[in-house]
Amino acid sequence: MGHMTSAPSPRPALSMLDLVAVREGGTVAEALAIAVRTAQHAESLGFERYWLAEHHNMPGIASSATAVLVGHVAGATQRIRVGSGGIMLPNHAPLVVAEAFGTLAELYPGRIDLGLGRAPGTDGPTMRALRRDRVESEQDFPRDVAELQRLLGPAEPGQRLVAVPGAGTQVPIWLLGSSLFSAQLAAERGLPYAFASHFAPRLLHHAIDLYRRLFRPSAVLDKPYVTIGVPVIAAPTDAEAQFLASSTYQRVLGILTGRRGLLQPPVENYAEGLQPQERAAVADFLAAGVVGGPDTVRAGFAELAQSTGADEFMLVSDVYDPALRLRSLEIAAAAARS
């Protein structure tokens, strides 16, 4: 594991993306402690990496200061790679990102990943609060990515702007996306690509086909490397998995209707109580999701591996009870390897 290949292997590597959900009846401090425990558990299961997502101004998500959390999780684990999935570049000056991740790379050599996203990950007023009055253009993201590559690469003689820490750390940069834009850019730059199919699966196949087709080898990667986001709720039985998944269904419906809140406890027969169009909308959102007992999960993973040829699955698992979330990851890991 660890080296990058692109032959559609029947067994993609497993990783985890954590949104650090704040639970109904729980606190932010508890959410952060649960993230650490989950990362340690993912490491014990042999997961490749543990990524944290950047979101702002959302009551149910505690991962807004992503780099701080990456350091905290890396400090509480030994081997697993820890990184951002992703840092939302419109919110940050590249130099600040290079210094933060350069510092992390000096603290935890060979273990830090920098996944970069192009969306602000928030609403207009929050974006203005983050970057004051800066106006985004289509060209900003490619330019900012190139600047980050420069700042994290070896300092050149006469280079006027040097990230200290940062220069020479060569923190691996990944491009994240849910559209074709980042797929194309990742291909042109020869960077690994992660598709956000955990919330926007519609263009999954189109984007990864485009990425593979246009891929140009680079100093960091000789062949395309594709990671896909996979929502997973695993339990001993299909029925229990569906029950536990109702927390995720409630969260998704909240996102779709603009009523974001805390992660809710599971509800019996929740999906049955939804309107047909609500059920369809949740199903679209979670089209890449795998919910069920061990056999259902094994079949779901096999089908995804077959249809995408992904090198890596990045699991997203929002289970209300933290202990059952750890169990969900265990069942999923066993199913993926059997």
Side-chain angles (χ1 to χ4, degrees), residues 14-250:
L14 291 184
S15 295
M16 170 137 197
L17 174 67
D18 200 349
L19 305 182
V20 193
V22 184
R23 286 156 173 77
E24 184 64 55
T27 64
V28 167
E30 284 164 0
L32 298 173
I34 290 165
V36 167
R37 211 158 62 239
T38 310
Q40 291 166 337
H41 191 66
E43 178 170 78
S44 76
L45 293 170
F47 281 33
E48 194 83 8
R49 62 192 96 243
Y50 192 88
W51 279 4
L52 297 138
E54 175 186 341
H55 292 281
H56 299 277
N57 197 21
M58 292 180 191
I61 295 182
S63 54
S64 55
T66 317
V68 177
L69 212 44
V70 167
H72 183 58
V73 168
T77 48
Q78 262 89 53
R79 298 173 312 280
I80 196 167
R81 299 189 68 93
V82 187
S84 59
I87 289 291
M88 295 298 144
L89 261 189
N91 303 337
H92 311 277
L95 178 62
V96 177
V97 177
E99 290 168 341
F101 279 76
T103 302
L104 289 166
E106 297 289 2
L107 290 167
Y108 308 104
R111 290 185 56 208
I112 302 299
D113 292 329
L114 175 55
L116 298 172
R118 191 172 68 108
T122 187
D123 53 34
T126 311
M127 195 173 166
R128 284 191 289 282
L130 287 163
R131 284 301 293 269
R132 307 291 158 72
D133 47 11
R134 191 162 164 268
V135 179
E136 277 294 296
S137 80
E138 181 92 317
Q139 276 321 297
D140 287 350
F141 186 68
R143 199 173 48 234
D144 286 355
V145 170
E147 190 176 340
L148 264 170
Q149 288 182 291
R150 226 175 8 256
L151 290 168
L152 293 168
E156 304 287 337
Q159 187 175 321
R160 290 186 48 200
L161 183 65
V162 179
V164 184
T169 56
Q170 309 273 26
V171 177
I173 288 176
W174 293 65
L175 295 194
L176 282 47
S178 58
S179 71
L180 305 180
F181 185 92
S182 295
Q184 209 162 334
L185 186 62
E188 281 167 20
R189 302 276 167 92
L191 294 171
Y193 179 57
F195 188 85
S197 34
H198 59 289
F199 72 86
R202 206 167 51 82
L203 294 172
L204 169 64
H205 293 95
H206 195 160
I208 59 183
D209 287 347
L210 188 72
Y211 168 69
R212 289 191 179 114
R213 200 167 66 241
L214 300 179
F215 184 84
R216 294 187 202 148
S218 69
V220 293
L221 198 57
D222 56 353
K223 298 189 281 237
Y225 192 93
V226 170
T227 293
I228 62 171
V230 183
V232 172
I233 310 281
T237 66
D238 285 357
E240 190 187 345
Q242 283 297 340
F243 169 65
L244 295 176
S246 62
S247 296
T248 293
Y249 300 156
Q250 292 174 75

